[in-house]
Amino acid sequence: MISAGLVTSGLLEIYFHRQESWEHFGLIQKESADATASKIEQFVQEIARTMRAATKTREIVREGLSPDYKWELRRLLVNSPSITAAAGFDLNGVKHAEARRLKPFPSQDKWNSVIHAALEKAKQRQFHFGPVYFPEEGTFPEGAGPYMTIAVPIERFAGEVIGMLVAEIDLKYVGQVISSIHVGKAGHAYLVTGSGQLIAHSDLSLVLQKRNLAQLDQMKAAFQPNSKEPKPIALVTRNLHGEKVFASYALISSLGWAVLTEQPIQEIYVPLYASMLRTSGVLLFGLGVALVATLFVSRRVVRPLETLRQGVERIRQGDLSTRLELQTGDEIQILADEFNEMAAHLREAYSDLERKVAERTQELTTVNEKLVEVSEHKSRFLANVNHELRTPLSSIIGYARLLRRETEGQISLLQRENLKDLLRNAERLLRLIDSLLDFAKIEAGKMEVQLEPVRIEELVQGAAASIEPILNKVAVRLIRDIPSEIAPLYTDREKLRQIILNLLGNAVKFTDRGEIRISASQEDGDFKLAVADTGIGIDKADVHRIFEEFDRGRLINDGSYRGTGLGLAIVKRLVGVLGGSIIVESEVGKGSTFTVTLPFKTREATSL
Ligand code: ADP
């Protein structure tokens, strides 16, 4: 930003300097052109005044224009070196007296060519300034000029014009005035007529070559009639050599001439370049200072901030021992101190937390160990108690069946019903004990797995047959959907049967109408078995609980569906023993689908 500011101000400085120096040089040139113009005008007017003085003689008053007037004319030539010839004419254009430095110049023709216009002016008592001309080729003197004629009226008495005094002026004397003018170091001035003819130049040869400068821009500017737009006082253009110049002009309106001044453009640029150089120097210095300032700021601010950032990063990565060493003596140091304090607090809090976690973990481990011990006690107790219960219960059932057979037709209907009830309850009790036994065994880790090839179709058929008796065939349809192409599964037949029986048993128990569908599929090395029903469904809140032992979900106090809450717990553990998993999708009132996924093992692949 500092650099941008410096560069902008530098460029503006250069731009304005250029404008100013343009104006400055323009003014100088214009002044010098004006001064030269007035000098030249004075020079010509001076000659005209001298000529006018030569018309006011006693002879003229006494005799009018006579041949003797030549003496006066000769005196005029002696006094005015720039006059090369002079003659007195009367109002009819007749020459009465003449004096000249060189013969025969100017020719009679030249006199005649100016006389007519000059006479008109003389009659009105005005001076006449004739056009600038060069001697014709081959005439004497060779290579002279340019010349002009001036005519002034001759008055015998004031207001009585009797003729005119015509003189030829050698303009090389004007050239001397022009040559003495210097514009700047290498600049110069020159004089031109309205038609573009060069009258005087520091290089006389250019004048003698009769160069015409009508096409130059500065010429056009000088002679351009006054318009509403202000004329430029100076302009950048080409000179007669085609070089680029800075030029100005001044009009001599009484003569119809103009002074042109010019200066090589480089001369204008020199101070401009010097200023550019100076500005660049200042700019470089400024940039250097800006750089040093930036480095200083970076040392003072950016680096400490970077250190701070790294500290935060280390804390984020868990290095709570991070401390910052910043001695900047400003707000950043205060920030760093706060940071260090915060890190210390954090570290304290963290170690406190770690200590508490360790304590709790220790407590939990102890509790856990106790729980495991208790659980083992429970399992062992269950196993023992169950065994003790099972034996007498089996014999009760055996005797009850025997009694039912043997008392066939000998007891009353009521007694028979009672006996049937007894048997049914005993059998339920036995099933419950069996379940408890199974569960206890699993819990005690005494489950053995016996792998063998199992045809899933057969297994499902057997299970379906064993639940047929309890199926309400009128309202519920049992559908088996087992593709025959499923290869034999290498697993524990008994455990899988128990899984299927439990799931089918639940489906039958909780489904009053609709269908129960058992299906199997084989995908991506997995074997999937699904039991879907259109029964009462399971509450969303219960879905995760029902696999816990003795948890019956919302049926916990429901007498209409008998159960222990052990079936699914056993299923889940059996599935686990076989290396699989079970999920349930259900909606209350619509039904449930239990899906068991087992790894599909063949005899070759298994390592069990
Ligand atoms: P139990 O059937 O002896 O109560 P389970 O462990 O087999 O015990 O089932 C636990 C609970 O899961 C059941 O009490 C019942 O709420 C729910 N449940 C299991 N299977 C189904 C099913 N097919 N449809 C509806 N609810 C079921």
Side-chain angles (χ1 to χ4, degrees), residues 503 506-507 509-510 533 536-538 546 548 551-555 562-569 592 594:
L503 292 179
N506 275 349
K509 183 157 64 175
F510 296 113
D533 63 50
I536 60 168
I538 304 163
I546 53 174
E548 303 288 324
D551 200 312
R552 304 195 62 224
R554 67 194 152 119
L555 306 178
R562 294 229 173 106
T564 56
L566 267 179
L568 285 181
S592 323
F594 288 83

mmCIF file of all heavy atoms in Angstrom, residues 503 506-507 509-510 533 536-538 546 548 551-555 562-569 592 594, ligand 1:
data_model
loop_
_atom_site.group_PDB
_atom_site.id
_atom_site.type_symbol
_atom_site.label_atom_id
_atom_site.label_comp_id
_atom_site.label_asym_id
_atom_site.label_seq_id
_atom_site.Cartn_x
_atom_site.Cartn_y
_atom_site.Cartn_z
ATOM 1 N N LEU A 503 -37.838 -68.270 16.848
ATOM 2 C CA LEU A 503 -38.390 -67.147 16.073
ATOM 3 C C LEU A 503 -39.778 -67.490 15.553
ATOM 4 O O LEU A 503 -40.702 -66.678 15.636
ATOM 5 C CB LEU A 503 -37.449 -66.784 14.911
ATOM 6 C CG LEU A 503 -36.113 -66.173 15.333
ATOM 7 C CD1 LEU A 503 -35.246 -65.874 14.091
ATOM 8 C CD2 LEU A 503 -36.313 -64.870 16.119
ATOM 9 N N ASN A 506 -42.298 -67.449 18.425
ATOM 10 C CA ASN A 506 -42.736 -66.092 18.752
ATOM 11 C C ASN A 506 -43.718 -65.582 17.721
ATOM 12 O O ASN A 506 -44.737 -64.973 18.064
ATOM 13 C CB ASN A 506 -41.539 -65.148 18.795
ATOM 14 C CG ASN A 506 -40.864 -65.173 20.155
ATOM 15 O OD1 ASN A 506 -41.399 -65.737 21.111
ATOM 16 N ND2 ASN A 506 -39.682 -64.583 20.246
ATOM 17 N N ALA A 507 -43.396 -65.819 16.408
ATOM 18 C CA ALA A 507 -44.253 -65.321 15.340
ATOM 19 C C ALA A 507 -45.658 -65.896 15.505
ATOM 20 O O ALA A 507 -46.651 -65.157 15.420
ATOM 21 C CB ALA A 507 -43.665 -65.677 13.981
ATOM 22 N N LYS A 509 -46.969 -67.050 18.217
ATOM 23 C CA LYS A 509 -47.578 -66.584 19.458
ATOM 24 C C LYS A 509 -48.178 -65.184 19.285
ATOM 25 O O LYS A 509 -49.238 -64.887 19.799
ATOM 26 C CB LYS A 509 -46.499 -66.568 20.548
ATOM 27 C CG LYS A 509 -47.033 -66.172 21.913
ATOM 28 C CD LYS A 509 -46.158 -66.683 23.058
ATOM 29 C CE LYS A 509 -44.783 -66.072 23.029
ATOM 30 N NZ LYS A 509 -43.964 -66.459 24.182
ATOM 31 N N PHE A 510 -47.458 -64.317 18.529
ATOM 32 C CA PHE A 510 -47.911 -62.924 18.471
ATOM 33 C C PHE A 510 -48.681 -62.573 17.205
ATOM 34 O O PHE A 510 -48.878 -61.407 16.903
ATOM 35 C CB PHE A 510 -46.695 -61.979 18.608
ATOM 36 C CG PHE A 510 -46.014 -62.110 19.942
ATOM 37 C CD1 PHE A 510 -44.734 -62.620 20.058
ATOM 38 C CD2 PHE A 510 -46.692 -61.725 21.107
ATOM 39 C CE1 PHE A 510 -44.116 -62.740 21.290
ATOM 40 C CE2 PHE A 510 -46.064 -61.851 22.335
ATOM 41 C CZ PHE A 510 -44.787 -62.357 22.442
ATOM 42 N N ASP A 533 -43.703 -61.654 10.239
ATOM 43 C CA ASP A 533 -45.104 -61.961 10.573
ATOM 44 C C ASP A 533 -45.969 -60.719 10.426
ATOM 45 O O ASP A 533 -45.453 -59.614 10.225
ATOM 46 C CB ASP A 533 -45.194 -62.532 11.994
ATOM 47 C CG ASP A 533 -44.757 -61.548 13.045
ATOM 48 O OD1 ASP A 533 -45.244 -60.397 13.018
ATOM 49 O OD2 ASP A 533 -43.880 -61.900 13.889
ATOM 50 N N ILE A 536 -48.654 -58.476 16.154
ATOM 51 C CA ILE A 536 -48.919 -57.238 16.904
ATOM 52 C C ILE A 536 -47.799 -56.202 16.784
ATOM 53 O O ILE A 536 -47.984 -55.033 17.075
ATOM 54 C CB ILE A 536 -49.174 -57.545 18.401
ATOM 55 C CG1 ILE A 536 -47.949 -58.234 19.019
ATOM 56 C CG2 ILE A 536 -50.419 -58.384 18.591
ATOM 57 C CD1 ILE A 536 -48.006 -58.293 20.542
ATOM 58 N N GLY A 537 -46.616 -56.634 16.384
ATOM 59 C CA GLY A 537 -45.501 -55.690 16.224
ATOM 60 C C GLY A 537 -44.876 -55.297 17.551
ATOM 61 O O GLY A 537 -45.389 -55.664 18.625
ATOM 62 N N ILE A 538 -43.791 -54.584 17.477
ATOM 63 C CA ILE A 538 -43.037 -54.226 18.689
ATOM 64 C C ILE A 538 -42.893 -52.704 18.747
ATOM 65 O O ILE A 538 -42.608 -52.060 17.732
ATOM 66 C CB ILE A 538 -41.640 -54.876 18.675
ATOM 67 C CG1 ILE A 538 -41.775 -56.391 18.516
ATOM 68 C CG2 ILE A 538 -40.853 -54.547 19.938
ATOM 69 C CD1 ILE A 538 -40.507 -57.072 18.090
ATOM 70 N N ILE A 546 -35.789 -56.124 23.839
ATOM 71 C CA ILE A 546 -36.362 -57.476 23.791
ATOM 72 C C ILE A 546 -35.322 -58.592 23.721
ATOM 73 O O ILE A 546 -35.633 -59.737 24.025
ATOM 74 C CB ILE A 546 -37.350 -57.640 22.614
ATOM 75 C CG1 ILE A 546 -36.677 -57.218 21.309
ATOM 76 C CG2 ILE A 546 -38.619 -56.842 22.849
ATOM 77 C CD1 ILE A 546 -37.550 -57.487 20.086
ATOM 78 N N GLU A 548 -32.784 -58.644 25.661
ATOM 79 C CA GLU A 548 -32.236 -58.832 27.011
ATOM 80 C C GLU A 548 -32.992 -59.982 27.680
ATOM 81 O O GLU A 548 -34.187 -60.163 27.456
ATOM 82 C CB GLU A 548 -32.453 -57.560 27.850
ATOM 83 C CG GLU A 548 -31.863 -56.314 27.239
ATOM 84 C CD GLU A 548 -30.348 -56.310 27.315
ATOM 85 O OE1 GLU A 548 -29.814 -56.804 28.317
ATOM 86 O OE2 GLU A 548 -29.711 -55.835 26.339
ATOM 87 N N ASP A 551 -36.649 -59.825 29.537
ATOM 88 C CA ASP A 551 -37.325 -58.583 29.159
ATOM 89 C C ASP A 551 -38.413 -58.922 28.156
ATOM 90 O O ASP A 551 -38.159 -59.543 27.133
ATOM 91 C CB ASP A 551 -36.324 -57.593 28.527
ATOM 92 C CG ASP A 551 -36.889 -56.194 28.593
ATOM 93 O OD1 ASP A 551 -38.060 -56.018 28.214
ATOM 94 O OD2 ASP A 551 -36.151 -55.283 29.037
ATOM 95 N N ARG A 552 -39.628 -58.467 28.433
ATOM 96 C CA ARG A 552 -40.724 -58.829 27.549
ATOM 97 C C ARG A 552 -41.353 -57.583 26.916
ATOM 98 O O ARG A 552 -42.462 -57.620 26.407
ATOM 99 C CB ARG A 552 -41.784 -59.618 28.311
ATOM 100 C CG ARG A 552 -41.221 -60.861 28.995
ATOM 101 C CD ARG A 552 -42.319 -61.794 29.426
ATOM 102 N NE ARG A 552 -43.084 -62.271 28.305
ATOM 103 C CZ ARG A 552 -44.420 -62.347 28.283
ATOM 104 N NH1 ARG A 552 -45.099 -61.928 29.326
ATOM 105 N NH2 ARG A 552 -45.054 -62.782 27.223
ATOM 106 N N GLY A 553 -40.603 -56.486 27.008
ATOM 107 C CA GLY A 553 -41.117 -55.266 26.402
ATOM 108 C C GLY A 553 -42.412 -54.848 27.064
ATOM 109 O O GLY A 553 -42.575 -54.944 28.269
ATOM 110 N N ARG A 554 -43.365 -54.419 26.232
ATOM 111 C CA ARG A 554 -44.623 -53.894 26.801
ATOM 112 C C ARG A 554 -45.517 -55.015 27.312
ATOM 113 O O ARG A 554 -46.552 -54.772 27.917
ATOM 114 C CB ARG A 554 -45.338 -53.059 25.747
ATOM 115 C CG ARG A 554 -45.841 -53.881 24.567
ATOM 116 C CD ARG A 554 -46.234 -53.003 23.413
ATOM 117 N NE ARG A 554 -46.064 -53.745 22.177
ATOM 118 C CZ ARG A 554 -47.064 -54.007 21.341
ATOM 119 N NH1 ARG A 554 -48.266 -53.609 21.599
ATOM 120 N NH2 ARG A 554 -46.836 -54.681 20.235
ATOM 121 N N LEU A 555 -45.140 -56.305 27.060
ATOM 122 C CA LEU A 555 -45.999 -57.416 27.495
ATOM 123 C C LEU A 555 -45.638 -57.896 28.887
ATOM 124 O O LEU A 555 -46.104 -58.927 29.339
ATOM 125 C CB LEU A 555 -45.864 -58.588 26.514
ATOM 126 C CG LEU A 555 -46.110 -58.246 25.058
ATOM 127 C CD1 LEU A 555 -45.899 -59.494 24.213
ATOM 128 C CD2 LEU A 555 -47.532 -57.719 24.867
ATOM 129 N N ARG A 562 -48.351 -65.546 27.144
ATOM 130 C CA ARG A 562 -47.468 -66.116 28.151
ATOM 131 C C ARG A 562 -46.039 -66.134 27.644
ATOM 132 O O ARG A 562 -45.791 -66.268 26.460
ATOM 133 C CB ARG A 562 -47.902 -67.549 28.459
ATOM 134 C CG ARG A 562 -49.256 -67.604 29.131
ATOM 135 C CD ARG A 562 -49.142 -68.500 30.347
ATOM 136 N NE ARG A 562 -50.361 -68.461 31.122
ATOM 137 C CZ ARG A 562 -51.246 -69.484 31.139
ATOM 138 N NH1 ARG A 562 -51.018 -70.565 30.418
ATOM 139 N NH2 ARG A 562 -52.297 -69.399 31.888
ATOM 140 N N GLY A 563 -45.100 -66.037 28.555
ATOM 141 C CA GLY A 563 -43.705 -66.127 28.127
ATOM 142 C C GLY A 563 -42.785 -65.818 29.273
ATOM 143 O O GLY A 563 -43.223 -65.379 30.347
ATOM 144 N N THR A 564 -41.511 -66.035 29.020
ATOM 145 C CA THR A 564 -40.510 -65.857 30.074
ATOM 146 C C THR A 564 -39.594 -64.675 29.801
ATOM 147 O O THR A 564 -38.884 -64.197 30.670
ATOM 148 C CB THR A 564 -39.621 -67.102 30.168
ATOM 149 O OG1 THR A 564 -39.047 -67.311 28.870
ATOM 150 C CG2 THR A 564 -40.413 -68.294 30.585
ATOM 151 N N GLY A 565 -39.563 -64.258 28.545
ATOM 152 C CA GLY A 565 -38.598 -63.202 28.182
ATOM 153 C C GLY A 565 -37.211 -63.766 27.983
ATOM 154 O O GLY A 565 -36.235 -63.023 27.965
ATOM 155 N N LEU A 566 -37.125 -65.078 27.785
ATOM 156 C CA LEU A 566 -35.791 -65.687 27.602
ATOM 157 C C LEU A 566 -35.513 -66.057 26.153
ATOM 158 O O LEU A 566 -34.371 -66.116 25.728
ATOM 159 C CB LEU A 566 -35.699 -66.957 28.456
ATOM 160 C CG LEU A 566 -35.110 -66.780 29.855
ATOM 161 C CD1 LEU A 566 -35.118 -68.114 30.581
ATOM 162 C CD2 LEU A 566 -33.717 -66.209 29.793
ATOM 163 N N GLY A 567 -36.617 -66.297 25.373
ATOM 164 C CA GLY A 567 -36.461 -66.803 24.003
ATOM 165 C C GLY A 567 -35.486 -65.994 23.151
ATOM 166 O O GLY A 567 -34.507 -66.526 22.628
ATOM 167 N N LEU A 568 -35.722 -64.709 23.032
ATOM 168 C CA LEU A 568 -34.870 -63.894 22.146
ATOM 169 C C LEU A 568 -33.464 -63.743 22.715
ATOM 170 O O LEU A 568 -32.491 -63.655 21.958
ATOM 171 C CB LEU A 568 -35.486 -62.509 21.919
ATOM 172 C CG LEU A 568 -36.695 -62.488 20.972
ATOM 173 C CD1 LEU A 568 -37.213 -61.075 20.808
ATOM 174 C CD2 LEU A 568 -36.300 -63.051 19.610
ATOM 175 N N ALA A 569 -33.363 -63.725 24.067
ATOM 176 C CA ALA A 569 -32.031 -63.644 24.671
ATOM 177 C C ALA A 569 -31.216 -64.871 24.270
ATOM 178 O O ALA A 569 -30.035 -64.756 23.906
ATOM 179 C CB ALA A 569 -32.147 -63.551 26.183
ATOM 180 N N SER A 592 -43.664 -57.887 12.440
ATOM 181 C CA SER A 592 -42.238 -57.795 12.732
ATOM 182 C C SER A 592 -41.474 -58.718 11.800
ATOM 183 O O SER A 592 -41.994 -59.713 11.318
ATOM 184 C CB SER A 592 -41.928 -58.239 14.162
ATOM 185 O OG SER A 592 -42.945 -57.834 15.032
ATOM 186 N N PHE A 594 -37.705 -60.540 11.853
ATOM 187 C CA PHE A 594 -36.411 -60.832 12.495
ATOM 188 C C PHE A 594 -35.496 -61.403 11.430
ATOM 189 O O PHE A 594 -35.865 -62.330 10.731
ATOM 190 C CB PHE A 594 -36.587 -61.845 13.626
ATOM 191 C CG PHE A 594 -37.270 -61.256 14.839
ATOM 192 C CD1 PHE A 594 -38.652 -61.158 14.905
ATOM 193 C CD2 PHE A 594 -36.513 -60.802 15.917
ATOM 194 C CE1 PHE A 594 -39.265 -60.610 16.012
ATOM 195 C CE2 PHE A 594 -37.130 -60.257 17.039
ATOM 196 C CZ PHE A 594 -38.516 -60.160 17.096
HETATM 197 P P1 ADP B 1 -41.307 -64.274 25.473
HETATM 198 O O1 ADP B 1 -41.824 -64.508 24.110
HETATM 199 O O2 ADP B 1 -41.172 -65.517 26.235
HETATM 200 O O3 ADP B 1 -41.979 -63.202 26.187
HETATM 201 P P2 ADP B 1 -38.958 -63.563 24.047
HETATM 202 O O4 ADP B 1 -37.570 -63.256 24.481
HETATM 203 O O5 ADP B 1 -39.116 -64.581 23.050
HETATM 204 O O6 ADP B 1 -39.819 -63.808 25.329
HETATM 205 O O7 ADP B 1 -39.577 -62.226 23.514
HETATM 206 C C1 ADP B 1 -39.390 -61.038 24.235
HETATM 207 C C2 ADP B 1 -40.488 -60.068 23.843
HETATM 208 O O8 ADP B 1 -40.310 -59.652 22.505
HETATM 209 C C3 ADP B 1 -41.861 -60.611 23.847
HETATM 210 O O9 ADP B 1 -42.401 -60.560 25.150
HETATM 211 C C4 ADP B 1 -42.593 -59.699 22.906
HETATM 212 O O10 ADP B 1 -42.938 -58.502 23.567
HETATM 213 C C5 ADP B 1 -41.549 -59.380 21.901
HETATM 214 N N1 ADP B 1 -41.639 -60.243 20.696
HETATM 215 C C6 ADP B 1 -40.844 -61.256 20.337
HETATM 216 N N2 ADP B 1 -41.186 -61.765 19.131
HETATM 217 C C7 ADP B 1 -42.244 -61.031 18.706
HETATM 218 C C8 ADP B 1 -43.056 -61.067 17.517
HETATM 219 N N3 ADP B 1 -42.855 -61.957 16.523
HETATM 220 N N4 ADP B 1 -44.057 -60.144 17.424
HETATM 221 C C9 ADP B 1 -44.268 -59.263 18.434
HETATM 222 N N5 ADP B 1 -43.530 -59.187 19.555
HETATM 223 C C10 ADP B 1 -42.526 -60.071 19.705
#
